[in-house]
Amino acid sequence: DIQMTQSPSSLSASVGDRVTITCRASQGISNYLAWFQQKPGKAPKSLIYDASSLQSGVPSKFSGSGSGTDFTLTISSLQPEDVATYYCQQYTTYPITFGQGTRLEI
Amino acid sequence: EVQLVESGGGLVQPGGSLRLSCAASGFSFSDHYMDWVRQTPGKGLEWIGRIRKKTNSYTTEYAASVKGRFTVSRDDSRNSLYLQMNSLKTEDTAMYYCTPHRGDYWGQGTLVTVS
């Protein structure tokens, strides 16, 4: 199985900060990577697919980059509504696997 | 508007069975591979199974943790996805979500408690 490792596991930042979350795959996955945001008590929401493509309706302050084994999710200007847990997911190989999540606080 | 509505969850004893349903609308259901993903209380996300579309013969894939116990099926005429869960274990307790390939849309989930 492909292991997806996110760092950090938790993060505290201030309003207006630029925040970066990293996801590393245990083997190459090309660009078959998605990022999700999950707020407490809610279902996950798709932010990014194919490593860098912004999902329709998602604010442009979210961006993704990377290919192969190393990927990043960046939030350009942190706002209170961005408090959530963020997950990466690889979908190149079965079983599809998720990172363990990064809890973002303000 | 895209909607995914999961149903069928509840309390079941270990060794029991349950069938979950997912009603889809607002997108071309029959053109998508469909997945089931679960989340244990306070934990992360786990992909558990996929069914491909008609042109791929509705073939399926499963996580090792559920293979042989769970079966994913679909009815494109009803825009519906199903998860038949047999031989349930306490560790299957989770919120279950249906989502198309790549997770573009998610429902609100249905809670399964095995106790």
Side-chain angles (χ1 to χ4, degrees), chain B residues 3-66:
Chain B
Q3 275 200 312
L4 290 160
V5 180
E6 300 92 342
S7 61
L11 175 63
V12 61
Q13 293 184 340
S17 298
L18 211 54
R19 188 193 194 210
L20 306 185
S21 300
C22 169
S25 61
F27 69 103
S28 182
F29 178 80
S30 62
D31 288 337
H32 284 75
Y33 295 6
M34 293 296 298
D35 292 343
W36 285 98
V37 174
R38 69 184 179 185
Q39 186 169 34
T40 51
K43 297 287 183 64
L45 299 163
E46 180 188 15
W47 173 86
I48 57 172
R50 166 171 291 178
I51 186 165
R52 297 181 178 87
K53 54 188 179 180
K54 182 178 181 180
T55 53
N56 300 102
S57 305
Y58 298 128
T59 51
T60 54
E61 303 285 347
Y62 296 96
S65 58
V66 306

Short mmCIF file of all heavy atoms in Angstrom, two decimals, chain B residues 3-66:
data_model
loop_
_atom_site.label_atom_id
_atom_site.label_comp_id
_atom_site.label_asym_id
_atom_site.label_seq_id
_atom_site.Cartn_x
_atom_site.Cartn_y
_atom_site.Cartn_z
N GLN B 3 -26.20 16.33 -5.21
CA GLN B 3 -26.57 15.80 -3.90
C GLN B 3 -26.24 14.33 -3.82
O GLN B 3 -26.47 13.57 -4.77
CB GLN B 3 -28.07 15.99 -3.65
CG GLN B 3 -28.45 17.34 -3.10
CD GLN B 3 -29.81 17.34 -2.41
OE1 GLN B 3 -30.78 16.84 -2.97
NE2 GLN B 3 -29.89 17.90 -1.22
N LEU B 4 -25.71 13.95 -2.68
CA LEU B 4 -25.47 12.54 -2.35
C LEU B 4 -26.08 12.33 -0.97
O LEU B 4 -25.70 13.01 -0.02
CB LEU B 4 -23.98 12.23 -2.33
CG LEU B 4 -23.29 12.24 -3.69
CD1 LEU B 4 -21.79 12.40 -3.53
CD2 LEU B 4 -23.62 10.98 -4.47
N VAL B 5 -27.03 11.41 -0.90
CA VAL B 5 -27.73 11.17 0.36
C VAL B 5 -27.58 9.72 0.76
O VAL B 5 -28.17 8.83 0.12
CB VAL B 5 -29.22 11.56 0.25
CG1 VAL B 5 -29.92 11.30 1.58
CG2 VAL B 5 -29.37 13.01 -0.18
N GLU B 6 -26.79 9.49 1.80
CA GLU B 6 -26.59 8.14 2.32
C GLU B 6 -27.67 7.80 3.33
O GLU B 6 -28.15 8.70 4.06
CB GLU B 6 -25.21 8.01 2.99
CG GLU B 6 -24.03 8.28 2.09
CD GLU B 6 -23.55 9.72 2.12
OE1 GLU B 6 -24.34 10.59 2.56
OE2 GLU B 6 -22.42 10.01 1.71
N SER B 7 -28.02 6.53 3.40
CA SER B 7 -29.02 6.07 4.35
C SER B 7 -28.78 4.60 4.67
O SER B 7 -27.99 3.93 3.99
CB SER B 7 -30.43 6.27 3.79
OG SER B 7 -30.59 5.52 2.59
N GLY B 8 -29.48 4.12 5.70
CA GLY B 8 -29.42 2.71 6.04
C GLY B 8 -28.56 2.37 7.23
O GLY B 8 -28.51 1.21 7.66
N GLY B 9 -27.88 3.37 7.79
CA GLY B 9 -27.06 3.12 8.96
C GLY B 9 -27.90 2.83 10.19
O GLY B 9 -29.13 3.01 10.19
N GLY B 10 -27.22 2.41 11.23
CA GLY B 10 -27.92 2.11 12.49
C GLY B 10 -27.07 1.25 13.39
O GLY B 10 -25.87 1.05 13.16
N LEU B 11 -27.73 0.73 14.43
CA LEU B 11 -27.06 -0.12 15.42
C LEU B 11 -27.27 -1.59 15.03
O LEU B 11 -28.39 -2.02 14.77
CB LEU B 11 -27.65 0.15 16.80
CG LEU B 11 -27.15 -0.73 17.95
CD1 LEU B 11 -25.66 -0.53 18.17
CD2 LEU B 11 -27.95 -0.43 19.21
N VAL B 12 -26.17 -2.33 15.00
CA VAL B 12 -26.24 -3.75 14.64
C VAL B 12 -25.28 -4.51 15.54
O VAL B 12 -24.25 -3.98 15.96
CB VAL B 12 -25.92 -3.96 13.15
CG1 VAL B 12 -24.52 -3.49 12.81
CG2 VAL B 12 -26.13 -5.40 12.72
N GLN B 13 -25.61 -5.75 15.82
CA GLN B 13 -24.75 -6.58 16.66
C GLN B 13 -23.59 -7.15 15.86
O GLN B 13 -23.69 -7.31 14.62
CB GLN B 13 -25.55 -7.73 17.26
CG GLN B 13 -26.60 -7.29 18.26
CD GLN B 13 -27.32 -8.47 18.91
OE1 GLN B 13 -27.32 -9.58 18.37
NE2 GLN B 13 -27.93 -8.25 20.06
N PRO B 14 -22.48 -7.46 16.53
CA PRO B 14 -21.37 -8.11 15.82
C PRO B 14 -21.85 -9.39 15.15
O PRO B 14 -22.64 -10.14 15.70
CB PRO B 14 -20.39 -8.41 16.95
CG PRO B 14 -20.67 -7.36 17.98
CD PRO B 14 -22.16 -7.14 17.93
N GLY B 15 -21.36 -9.59 13.90
CA GLY B 15 -21.78 -10.72 13.11
C GLY B 15 -23.00 -10.45 12.25
O GLY B 15 -23.33 -11.26 11.38
N GLY B 16 -23.62 -9.31 12.47
CA GLY B 16 -24.83 -8.97 11.73
C GLY B 16 -24.54 -8.37 10.37
O GLY B 16 -23.39 -8.25 9.94
N SER B 17 -25.61 -7.99 9.69
CA SER B 17 -25.53 -7.41 8.35
C SER B 17 -26.30 -6.10 8.29
O SER B 17 -27.21 -5.86 9.07
CB SER B 17 -26.12 -8.39 7.31
OG SER B 17 -25.39 -9.59 7.27
N LEU B 18 -25.91 -5.30 7.30
CA LEU B 18 -26.56 -4.02 7.08
C LEU B 18 -26.36 -3.65 5.61
O LEU B 18 -25.31 -3.99 5.02
CB LEU B 18 -25.95 -2.95 7.99
CG LEU B 18 -26.78 -1.80 8.51
CD1 LEU B 18 -28.03 -2.29 9.23
CD2 LEU B 18 -25.95 -0.92 9.43
N ARG B 19 -27.33 -2.97 5.03
CA ARG B 19 -27.18 -2.51 3.65
C ARG B 19 -27.34 -1.01 3.62
O ARG B 19 -28.39 -0.47 4.01
CB ARG B 19 -28.22 -3.15 2.74
CG ARG B 19 -27.99 -2.86 1.25
CD ARG B 19 -29.19 -3.24 0.43
NE ARG B 19 -28.88 -3.30 -1.01
CZ ARG B 19 -29.76 -3.04 -1.95
NH1 ARG B 19 -31.01 -2.69 -1.64
NH2 ARG B 19 -29.42 -3.13 -3.24
N LEU B 20 -26.31 -0.33 3.16
CA LEU B 20 -26.35 1.12 3.01
C LEU B 20 -26.73 1.49 1.59
O LEU B 20 -26.39 0.77 0.64
CB LEU B 20 -24.98 1.73 3.35
CG LEU B 20 -24.36 1.37 4.70
CD1 LEU B 20 -23.07 2.16 4.90
CD2 LEU B 20 -25.34 1.62 5.83
N SER B 21 -27.40 2.62 1.46
CA SER B 21 -27.76 3.15 0.16
C SER B 21 -27.25 4.56 0.02
O SER B 21 -27.06 5.27 1.00
CB SER B 21 -29.29 3.15 -0.02
OG SER B 21 -29.83 1.86 0.07
N CYS B 22 -27.04 4.97 -1.22
CA CYS B 22 -26.63 6.34 -1.53
C CYS B 22 -27.40 6.78 -2.76
O CYS B 22 -27.26 6.19 -3.83
CB CYS B 22 -25.13 6.39 -1.78
SG CYS B 22 -24.54 7.95 -2.48
N ALA B 23 -28.22 7.81 -2.60
CA ALA B 23 -28.99 8.36 -3.71
C ALA B 23 -28.27 9.58 -4.26
O ALA B 23 -27.98 10.52 -3.50
CB ALA B 23 -30.39 8.73 -3.24
N ALA B 24 -27.99 9.55 -5.55
CA ALA B 24 -27.22 10.62 -6.19
C ALA B 24 -28.10 11.43 -7.13
O ALA B 24 -29.01 10.89 -7.78
CB ALA B 24 -26.05 10.04 -6.96
N SER B 25 -27.82 12.72 -7.21
CA SER B 25 -28.52 13.58 -8.17
C SER B 25 -27.64 14.77 -8.51
O SER B 25 -26.70 15.09 -7.77
CB SER B 25 -29.86 14.06 -7.59
OG SER B 25 -29.65 14.80 -6.41
N GLY B 26 -27.93 15.40 -9.64
CA GLY B 26 -27.22 16.62 -10.02
C GLY B 26 -25.93 16.40 -10.80
O GLY B 26 -25.25 17.39 -11.12
N PHE B 27 -25.60 15.16 -11.07
CA PHE B 27 -24.45 14.88 -11.92
C PHE B 27 -24.71 13.56 -12.65
O PHE B 27 -25.64 12.83 -12.31
CB PHE B 27 -23.14 14.84 -11.13
CG PHE B 27 -22.99 13.67 -10.18
CD1 PHE B 27 -22.20 12.58 -10.50
CD2 PHE B 27 -23.65 13.66 -8.95
CE1 PHE B 27 -22.06 11.51 -9.63
CE2 PHE B 27 -23.52 12.60 -8.07
CZ PHE B 27 -22.72 11.51 -8.41
N SER B 28 -23.88 13.27 -13.63
CA SER B 28 -24.09 12.08 -14.44
C SER B 28 -23.56 10.85 -13.71
O SER B 28 -22.42 10.41 -13.91
CB SER B 28 -23.39 12.25 -15.80
OG SER B 28 -23.63 11.12 -16.61
N PHE B 29 -24.42 10.29 -12.85
CA PHE B 29 -24.03 9.19 -11.98
C PHE B 29 -23.46 8.02 -12.78
O PHE B 29 -22.42 7.47 -12.43
CB PHE B 29 -25.26 8.74 -11.19
CG PHE B 29 -25.03 7.57 -10.28
CD1 PHE B 29 -24.43 7.74 -9.05
CD2 PHE B 29 -25.44 6.29 -10.66
CE1 PHE B 29 -24.23 6.66 -8.20
CE2 PHE B 29 -25.25 5.21 -9.82
CZ PHE B 29 -24.63 5.39 -8.59
N SER B 30 -24.11 7.66 -13.86
CA SER B 30 -23.70 6.46 -14.60
C SER B 30 -22.32 6.60 -15.25
O SER B 30 -21.70 5.60 -15.60
CB SER B 30 -24.75 6.12 -15.66
OG SER B 30 -24.85 7.16 -16.59
N ASP B 31 -21.84 7.82 -15.39
CA ASP B 31 -20.53 8.06 -16.01
C ASP B 31 -19.37 8.04 -15.01
O ASP B 31 -18.22 8.25 -15.40
CB ASP B 31 -20.53 9.40 -16.74
CG ASP B 31 -21.36 9.38 -18.01
OD1 ASP B 31 -21.56 8.28 -18.55
OD2 ASP B 31 -21.82 10.46 -18.43
N HIS B 32 -19.69 7.84 -13.73
CA HIS B 32 -18.66 7.93 -12.70
C HIS B 32 -18.40 6.59 -12.02
O HIS B 32 -19.35 5.84 -11.72
CB HIS B 32 -19.07 8.94 -11.62
CG HIS B 32 -18.92 10.36 -12.02
ND1 HIS B 32 -19.79 10.96 -12.90
CD2 HIS B 32 -18.01 11.30 -11.68
CE1 HIS B 32 -19.41 12.23 -13.07
NE2 HIS B 32 -18.34 12.45 -12.34
N TYR B 33 -17.12 6.31 -11.75
CA TYR B 33 -16.78 5.31 -10.75
C TYR B 33 -17.29 5.86 -9.41
O TYR B 33 -17.25 7.08 -9.18
CB TYR B 33 -15.27 5.14 -10.62
CG TYR B 33 -14.54 4.58 -11.81
CD1 TYR B 33 -15.16 4.33 -13.03
CD2 TYR B 33 -13.17 4.31 -11.71
CE1 TYR B 33 -14.45 3.81 -14.11
CE2 TYR B 33 -12.44 3.80 -12.78
CZ TYR B 33 -13.09 3.56 -13.97
OH TYR B 33 -12.36 3.04 -15.04
N MET B 34 -17.72 4.98 -8.53
CA MET B 34 -18.23 5.42 -7.23
C MET B 34 -17.55 4.68 -6.09
O MET B 34 -17.27 3.47 -6.19
CB MET B 34 -19.75 5.20 -7.14
CG MET B 34 -20.57 6.08 -8.07
SD MET B 34 -20.46 7.83 -7.69
CE MET B 34 -21.13 7.92 -6.04
N ASP B 35 -17.25 5.41 -5.03
CA ASP B 35 -16.52 4.88 -3.88
C ASP B 35 -17.36 4.95 -2.61
O ASP B 35 -18.22 5.80 -2.46
CB ASP B 35 -15.25 5.70 -3.63
CG ASP B 35 -14.21 5.56 -4.72
OD1 ASP B 35 -14.29 4.61 -5.52
OD2 ASP B 35 -13.30 6.40 -4.75
N TRP B 36 -17.00 4.08 -1.67
CA TRP B 36 -17.43 4.20 -0.28
C TRP B 36 -16.18 4.49 0.56
O TRP B 36 -15.13 3.84 0.38
CB TRP B 36 -18.10 2.94 0.23
CG TRP B 36 -19.50 2.74 -0.28
CD1 TRP B 36 -19.89 1.96 -1.33
CD2 TRP B 36 -20.69 3.34 0.24
NE1 TRP B 36 -21.27 2.04 -1.50
CE2 TRP B 36 -21.77 2.88 -0.55
CE3 TRP B 36 -20.96 4.22 1.29
CZ2 TRP B 36 -23.10 3.26 -0.30
CZ3 TRP B 36 -22.27 4.60 1.52
CH2 TRP B 36 -23.33 4.13 0.73
N VAL B 37 -16.31 5.48 1.44
CA VAL B 37 -15.23 5.88 2.34
C VAL B 37 -15.83 5.94 3.74
O VAL B 37 -16.97 6.38 3.91
CB VAL B 37 -14.66 7.26 1.95
CG1 VAL B 37 -13.63 7.74 2.98
CG2 VAL B 37 -14.03 7.21 0.56
N ARG B 38 -15.07 5.49 4.74
CA ARG B 38 -15.59 5.56 6.09
C ARG B 38 -14.62 6.32 7.00
O ARG B 38 -13.44 6.50 6.69
CB ARG B 38 -15.86 4.17 6.66
CG ARG B 38 -14.62 3.33 6.93
CD ARG B 38 -15.04 1.94 7.40
NE ARG B 38 -13.89 1.08 7.66
CZ ARG B 38 -13.98 -0.21 7.98
NH1 ARG B 38 -15.18 -0.79 8.08
NH2 ARG B 38 -12.89 -0.91 8.21
N GLN B 39 -15.18 6.77 8.12
CA GLN B 39 -14.40 7.53 9.09
C GLN B 39 -14.81 7.09 10.47
O GLN B 39 -15.97 7.29 10.87
CB GLN B 39 -14.62 9.03 8.91
CG GLN B 39 -13.75 9.90 9.79
CD GLN B 39 -13.82 11.36 9.38
OE1 GLN B 39 -14.85 11.86 8.94
NE2 GLN B 39 -12.70 12.06 9.50
N THR B 40 -13.88 6.51 11.20
CA THR B 40 -14.17 6.09 12.57
C THR B 40 -14.20 7.34 13.46
O THR B 40 -13.54 8.34 13.15
CB THR B 40 -13.13 5.09 13.06
OG1 THR B 40 -11.82 5.64 12.83
CG2 THR B 40 -13.24 3.78 12.31
N PRO B 41 -14.96 7.27 14.55
CA PRO B 41 -15.11 8.45 15.41
C PRO B 41 -13.78 9.04 15.84
O PRO B 41 -12.93 8.35 16.40
CB PRO B 41 -15.90 7.89 16.61
CG PRO B 41 -16.65 6.73 16.06
CD PRO B 41 -15.75 6.13 15.02
N GLY B 42 -13.58 10.29 15.52
CA GLY B 42 -12.36 10.97 15.93
C GLY B 42 -11.11 10.57 15.17
O GLY B 42 -10.02 11.01 15.50
N LYS B 43 -11.29 9.77 14.11
CA LYS B 43 -10.13 9.29 13.37
C LYS B 43 -10.17 9.78 11.92
O LYS B 43 -11.00 10.57 11.53
CB LYS B 43 -10.09 7.76 13.40
CG LYS B 43 -9.92 7.18 14.79
CD LYS B 43 -8.52 7.35 15.32
CE LYS B 43 -8.34 6.71 16.68
NZ LYS B 43 -8.50 5.24 16.63
N GLY B 44 -9.25 9.27 11.13
CA GLY B 44 -9.12 9.70 9.75
C GLY B 44 -10.03 8.96 8.80
O GLY B 44 -10.92 8.21 9.20
N LEU B 45 -9.76 9.18 7.51
CA LEU B 45 -10.59 8.63 6.44
C LEU B 45 -10.00 7.34 5.90
O LEU B 45 -8.79 7.22 5.73
CB LEU B 45 -10.69 9.67 5.31
CG LEU B 45 -11.34 10.99 5.72
CD1 LEU B 45 -11.03 12.07 4.69
CD2 LEU B 45 -12.85 10.81 5.86
N GLU B 46 -10.86 6.38 5.61
CA GLU B 46 -10.45 5.09 5.06
C GLU B 46 -11.30 4.75 3.85
O GLU B 46 -12.53 4.61 3.97
CB GLU B 46 -10.58 3.98 6.11
CG GLU B 46 -10.16 2.60 5.58
CD GLU B 46 -10.47 1.46 6.55
OE1 GLU B 46 -11.27 1.67 7.51
OE2 GLU B 46 -9.93 0.35 6.34
N TRP B 47 -10.67 4.61 2.70
CA TRP B 47 -11.36 4.13 1.51
C TRP B 47 -11.66 2.65 1.68
O TRP B 47 -10.77 1.89 2.11
CB TRP B 47 -10.48 4.36 0.28
CG TRP B 47 -11.00 3.76 -0.98
CD1 TRP B 47 -11.88 4.32 -1.86
CD2 TRP B 47 -10.65 2.48 -1.52
NE1 TRP B 47 -12.10 3.47 -2.91
CE2 TRP B 47 -11.37 2.34 -2.73
CE3 TRP B 47 -9.82 1.45 -1.10
CZ2 TRP B 47 -11.26 1.20 -3.53
CZ3 TRP B 47 -9.71 0.32 -1.88
CH2 TRP B 47 -10.43 0.21 -3.09
N ILE B 48 -12.89 2.22 1.35
CA ILE B 48 -13.20 0.81 1.55
C ILE B 48 -13.63 0.09 0.28
O ILE B 48 -13.51 -1.14 0.20
CB ILE B 48 -14.26 0.60 2.65
CG1 ILE B 48 -15.55 1.37 2.35
CG2 ILE B 48 -13.71 0.97 4.02
CD1 ILE B 48 -16.67 1.03 3.31
N GLY B 49 -14.10 0.81 -0.73
CA GLY B 49 -14.48 0.07 -1.93
C GLY B 49 -14.89 0.96 -3.08
O GLY B 49 -15.22 2.12 -2.89
N ARG B 50 -14.83 0.40 -4.28
CA ARG B 50 -15.15 1.13 -5.52
C ARG B 50 -15.90 0.21 -6.48
O ARG B 50 -15.62 -1.00 -6.53
CB ARG B 50 -13.88 1.63 -6.19
CG ARG B 50 -14.07 2.09 -7.64
CD ARG B 50 -12.85 2.78 -8.17
NE ARG B 50 -12.66 4.08 -7.52
CZ ARG B 50 -11.65 4.90 -7.76
NH1 ARG B 50 -10.73 4.55 -8.63
NH2 ARG B 50 -11.56 6.04 -7.14
N ILE B 51 -16.81 0.82 -7.23
CA ILE B 51 -17.42 0.13 -8.36
C ILE B 51 -17.23 1.00 -9.60
O ILE B 51 -17.47 2.21 -9.56
CB ILE B 51 -18.91 -0.22 -8.11
CG1 ILE B 51 -19.44 -1.08 -9.26
CG2 ILE B 51 -19.76 1.03 -7.89
CD1 ILE B 51 -20.76 -1.76 -8.93
N ARG B 52 -16.77 0.38 -10.66
CA ARG B 52 -16.59 1.11 -11.90
C ARG B 52 -17.93 1.22 -12.64
O ARG B 52 -18.93 0.71 -12.19
CB ARG B 52 -15.53 0.42 -12.75
CG ARG B 52 -14.14 0.39 -12.06
CD ARG B 52 -13.10 -0.27 -12.92
NE ARG B 52 -11.77 -0.26 -12.31
CZ ARG B 52 -11.33 -1.20 -11.47
NH1 ARG B 52 -12.12 -2.20 -11.13
NH2 ARG B 52 -10.11 -1.10 -10.96
N LYS B 53 -17.89 1.91 -13.79
CA LYS B 53 -19.12 2.13 -14.54
C LYS B 53 -19.38 1.00 -15.52
O LYS B 53 -18.58 0.08 -15.64
CB LYS B 53 -19.05 3.49 -15.26
CG LYS B 53 -17.82 3.66 -16.12
CD LYS B 53 -17.73 5.09 -16.64
CE LYS B 53 -16.48 5.26 -17.49
NZ LYS B 53 -16.35 6.64 -18.02
N LYS B 54 -20.50 1.09 -16.24
CA LYS B 54 -20.95 0.01 -17.11
C LYS B 54 -19.90 -0.34 -18.15
O LYS B 54 -19.66 -1.52 -18.42
CB LYS B 54 -22.26 0.40 -17.78
CG LYS B 54 -22.85 -0.69 -18.67
CD LYS B 54 -24.18 -0.26 -19.28
CE LYS B 54 -24.76 -1.36 -20.15
NZ LYS B 54 -26.07 -0.95 -20.74
N THR B 55 -19.29 0.67 -18.74
CA THR B 55 -18.30 0.43 -19.79
C THR B 55 -17.06 -0.30 -19.27
O THR B 55 -16.27 -0.82 -20.05
CB THR B 55 -17.88 1.73 -20.48
OG1 THR B 55 -17.47 2.66 -19.48
CG2 THR B 55 -19.02 2.30 -21.30
N ASN B 56 -16.92 -0.33 -17.95
CA ASN B 56 -15.85 -1.11 -17.31
C ASN B 56 -16.41 -2.32 -16.59
O ASN B 56 -15.80 -2.85 -15.65
CB ASN B 56 -15.07 -0.23 -16.33
CG ASN B 56 -14.42 0.95 -17.01
OD1 ASN B 56 -14.93 2.07 -16.93
ND2 ASN B 56 -13.32 0.72 -17.70
N SER B 57 -17.59 -2.75 -17.06
CA SER B 57 -18.22 -3.99 -16.58
C SER B 57 -18.57 -3.98 -15.11
O SER B 57 -18.71 -5.05 -14.50
CB SER B 57 -17.34 -5.21 -16.91
OG SER B 57 -17.05 -5.26 -18.29
N TYR B 58 -18.74 -2.80 -14.53
CA TYR B 58 -19.12 -2.69 -13.13
C TYR B 58 -18.16 -3.46 -12.21
O TYR B 58 -18.57 -3.99 -11.18
CB TYR B 58 -20.54 -3.19 -12.88
CG TYR B 58 -21.62 -2.41 -13.60
CD1 TYR B 58 -22.57 -3.07 -14.40
CD2 TYR B 58 -21.72 -1.03 -13.49
CE1 TYR B 58 -23.58 -2.36 -15.05
CE2 TYR B 58 -22.72 -0.31 -14.14
CZ TYR B 58 -23.64 -0.99 -14.92
OH TYR B 58 -24.64 -0.30 -15.56
N THR B 59 -16.91 -3.53 -12.56
CA THR B 59 -15.96 -4.25 -11.72
C THR B 59 -15.71 -3.49 -10.42
O THR B 59 -15.95 -2.28 -10.33
CB THR B 59 -14.64 -4.48 -12.45
OG1 THR B 59 -14.18 -3.23 -12.99
CG2 THR B 59 -14.81 -5.47 -13.59
N THR B 60 -15.24 -4.21 -9.41
CA THR B 60 -15.10 -3.64 -8.07
C THR B 60 -13.69 -3.82 -7.51
O THR B 60 -12.92 -4.66 -7.97
CB THR B 60 -16.09 -4.32 -7.10
OG1 THR B 60 -15.92 -5.74 -7.16
CG2 THR B 60 -17.53 -3.97 -7.45
N GLU B 61 -13.38 -2.98 -6.55
CA GLU B 61 -12.13 -3.06 -5.79
C GLU B 61 -12.48 -2.87 -4.32
O GLU B 61 -13.40 -2.11 -4.00
CB GLU B 61 -11.14 -1.96 -6.21
CG GLU B 61 -10.77 -1.95 -7.67
CD GLU B 61 -9.82 -3.04 -8.08
OE1 GLU B 61 -9.24 -3.68 -7.19
OE2 GLU B 61 -9.67 -3.24 -9.31
N TYR B 62 -11.71 -3.50 -3.43
CA TYR B 62 -11.98 -3.41 -2.01
C TYR B 62 -10.70 -3.25 -1.21
O TYR B 62 -9.63 -3.74 -1.60
CB TYR B 62 -12.71 -4.67 -1.52
CG TYR B 62 -14.07 -4.86 -2.13
CD1 TYR B 62 -14.25 -5.67 -3.24
CD2 TYR B 62 -15.18 -4.18 -1.62
CE1 TYR B 62 -15.50 -5.84 -3.82
CE2 TYR B 62 -16.44 -4.34 -2.19
CZ TYR B 62 -16.58 -5.16 -3.30
OH TYR B 62 -17.82 -5.31 -3.86
N ALA B 63 -10.84 -2.59 -0.06
CA ALA B 63 -9.76 -2.58 0.92
C ALA B 63 -9.66 -3.95 1.56
O ALA B 63 -10.66 -4.67 1.69
CB ALA B 63 -10.03 -1.52 1.97
N ALA B 64 -8.46 -4.29 1.98
CA ALA B 64 -8.23 -5.60 2.59
C ALA B 64 -9.09 -5.80 3.83
O ALA B 64 -9.51 -6.91 4.14
CB ALA B 64 -6.75 -5.76 2.93
N SER B 65 -9.35 -4.71 4.55
CA SER B 65 -10.09 -4.79 5.80
C SER B 65 -11.54 -5.22 5.63
O SER B 65 -12.17 -5.67 6.59
CB SER B 65 -10.04 -3.44 6.53
OG SER B 65 -10.59 -2.41 5.72
N VAL B 66 -12.08 -5.10 4.42
CA VAL B 66 -13.50 -5.44 4.21
C VAL B 66 -13.69 -6.48 3.11
O VAL B 66 -14.82 -6.96 2.92
CB VAL B 66 -14.33 -4.19 3.87
CG1 VAL B 66 -14.15 -3.12 4.95
CG2 VAL B 66 -13.98 -3.64 2.49
#
